[in-house]
Amino acid sequence: MSAHTGTSAGIRIGPVHFWHPEHTLAVTDLPERATLPEARDRQLLALGIDRVRVAGGLTETDLAERAALGALADSGTDPADLDGLLLVQGRAPEYLMASEATRLQHRIGATRALTLGVGDLGCVSSSAAIEIGAALLRGRGGPGRILVAMGVRAAATARYRPPMTVLGDCGAAFLLTTGDDGGGGAPYTSGGHTVGAAPYSSGGGPSTVGGAPYTSGSGGPYTPGDDTAGGAPRPAGGRAARYRLLGQELRSDGRYADLFRIRYRELPPERWAEECADENAYSFQLAIESRNRLRDLNAELLRRCATTQDELAAVVMQNLSMGAFAFWQDALGLKIADVCRDNLAGHGHLGPADVLMNLESLAPSVPVGGKVLVMNSSPVAAWCTALVERLPD
């Protein structure tokens, strides 16, 4: 897939709204530590991850909904005005055969949005959603707004994914817009409720967001699994986009399709466990493959965008471990932004939301017009490099 330089000039990204569960779990308190061999436990504690957020009884759709409503409120967008809704799918849907994407569409009231699920590329699924959303907007030939949302939570009981990282939970959402539909003005509230990093309860009563009962637009308390149609009052204005997409390159390689996997057909959920089929293949063969792929993708993208490595304001990537950051800096000759290490320590690995969190955390330090290189990869395996430009707030 080639970079869409020139034709991507009108595609804008963000800001990204995150919804974080209140409950945190220290890595030192992970239950699986009790059964880990000593060498594996030392490996876990050396990852550079202090704690993760835990979603409790909330599903991936619940997390995506909270973030989606927050992104709509931040941007001043009526969900009924969305042209598209892309759900970055989780790794363990609540039901087989059901549609998580249209469930989210119904909950937030995106009644006329073209709705699709994007998944199967692991962490790189968020990059694929940007690629698809940008293509849909370019195809419109005029103003357009597409919401990208995701709920990220660990599929298995154990959060440690040996040998690479520890998994955290969150919701994330952002708008993709064209240059002439970026929004502006003040945020609105959805039915009087705020959506953000706030306490929730699961099981003992209605979920709460911002300390008050959370509703999905119907006026009644929200409970996980409640598919009552949502929607919000028509707002006026909203926040402008955060970044402009200058180009993107995405590749995949099916030789590693099931390197990491969960056997689920023959096991109940409480016995699900993430497995690495071949740790040597992951640690050595795939590492070298990824180094070569990202090196080549970076070079091609920067060439197409007429940008040199020295002109970059910053470089971000997904958060796996401190060792991984050191490897990539040495292998590619690029300094990974410190926000990545901070987010790794405080949130662990958030799958497809990692690069989005790092971009959003980085934004205050990037000057207007500054260019940021975004590298994303997944052990399935897939790789993506994007170049974005900071826009005025």
Side-chain angles (χ1 to χ4, degrees):
M1 184 175 294
S2 298
H4 295 289
T5 56
T7 54
S8 284
I11 305 300
R12 301 183 177 213
I13 302 171
V16 185
H17 185 97
F18 281 88
W19 195 90
H20 297 291
E22 181 185 50
H23 180 61
T24 62
L25 177 64
V27 166
T28 52
D29 294 332
L30 288 175
E32 57 264 36
R33 288 192 66 205
T35 60
L36 290 178
E38 184 178 349
R40 187 69 94 185
D41 190 55
R42 288 198 303 269
Q43 187 181 53
L44 163 64
L45 297 179
L47 291 171
I49 301 171
D50 298 331
R51 60 195 176 275
V52 295
R53 299 292 184 104
V54 177
L58 297 178
T59 67
E60 291 167 333
T61 307
D62 299 333
L63 294 169
E65 178 188 5
R66 283 154 168 71
L69 289 174
L72 292 169
D74 287 349
S75 63
T77 301
D78 188 327
D81 289 338
L82 289 172
D83 300 295
L85 171 63
L86 301 178
L87 175 66
V88 178
Q89 298 163 300
R91 307 305 272 174
E94 189 174 357
Y95 302 107
L96 296 178
M97 298 181 65
S99 171
E100 307 268 290
T102 57
R103 178 183 291 121
L104 179 63
Q105 176 192 27
H106 182 63
R107 285 188 180 183
I108 68 173
T111 52
R112 73 176 188 87
L114 171 65
T115 301
L116 301 170
V118 182
D120 210 36
L121 291 182
C123 306
V124 178
S125 294
S126 56
S127 300
I130 291 175
E131 188 75 27
I132 293 169
L136 290 172
L137 288 172
R138 285 191 298 269
R140 289 180 58 83
R145 283 173 282 186
I146 292 178
L147 181 69
V148 179
M150 63 204 73
V152 179
R153 59 166 296 150
T157 302
R159 291 182 173 272
Y160 176 37
R161 178 189 287 169
M164 59 195 303
T165 196
V166 178
L167 308 177
D169 301 337
C170 78
F174 61 94
L175 278 174
L176 287 174
T177 58
T178 50
D180 47 2
D181 195 21
Y188 76 103
T189 58
S190 174
H193 307 293
T194 59
V195 183
Y200 72 94
S201 62
S202 59
S207 299
T208 59
V209 178
Y214 175 82
T215 69
S216 57
S218 62
Y222 170 89
T223 56
D226 178 8
D227 289 331
T228 305
R234 182 176 297 275
R239 291 165 61 192
R242 186 78 81 200
Y243 293 98
R244 181 165 66 103
L245 179 65
L246 299 179
Q248 182 164 276
E249 294 273 358
L250 193 155
R251 302 283 189 277
S252 58
D253 188 334
R255 291 179 296 166
Y256 304 93
D258 57 356
L259 183 57
F260 281 86
R261 60 199 179 195
I262 295 176
R263 300 178 187 273
Y264 77 97
R265 286 186 179 270
E266 66 271 29
L267 296 172
E270 60 271 17
R271 292 181 57 194
W272 287 1
E274 294 203 17
E275 305 173 346
C276 181
D278 187 335
E279 287 197 22
N280 284 330
Y282 168 72
S283 298
F284 300 102
Q285 183 178 337
L286 182 57
I288 298 303
E289 176 83 11
S290 295
R291 179 200 64 186
N292 295 340
R293 291 278 191 158
L294 287 175
R295 180 195 60 203
D296 294 346
L297 290 178
N298 290 349
E300 175 64 15
L301 180 63
L302 293 177
R303 184 190 67 79
R304 288 178 179 269
C305 295
T307 301
T308 66
Q309 196 165 294
D310 292 340
E311 293 178 277
L312 297 174
V315 178
V316 298
M317 65 184 310
Q318 83 271 30
N319 307 329
L320 295 176
S321 69
M322 292 297 288
F325 291 140
F327 169 81
W328 289 116
Q329 288 192 153
D330 182 63
L332 299 175
L334 295 168
K335 184 184 186 305
I336 307 303
D338 289 337
V339 295
C340 300
R341 295 169 181 82
D342 295 339
N343 287 330
L344 172 73
H347 297 277
H349 178 53
L350 297 176
D354 268 351
V355 293
L356 302 173
M357 175 176 284
N358 293 336
L359 262 181
E360 189 64 22
S361 299
L362 183 73
S365 65
V366 180
V368 173
K371 297 177 182 179
V372 180
L373 187 69
V374 185
M375 299 185 296
N376 202 0
S377 64
S378 172
V380 290
W383 306 269
C384 185
T385 296
L387 187 66
V388 299
E389 180 184 54
R390 183 71 162 94
L391 295 171
D393 287 325

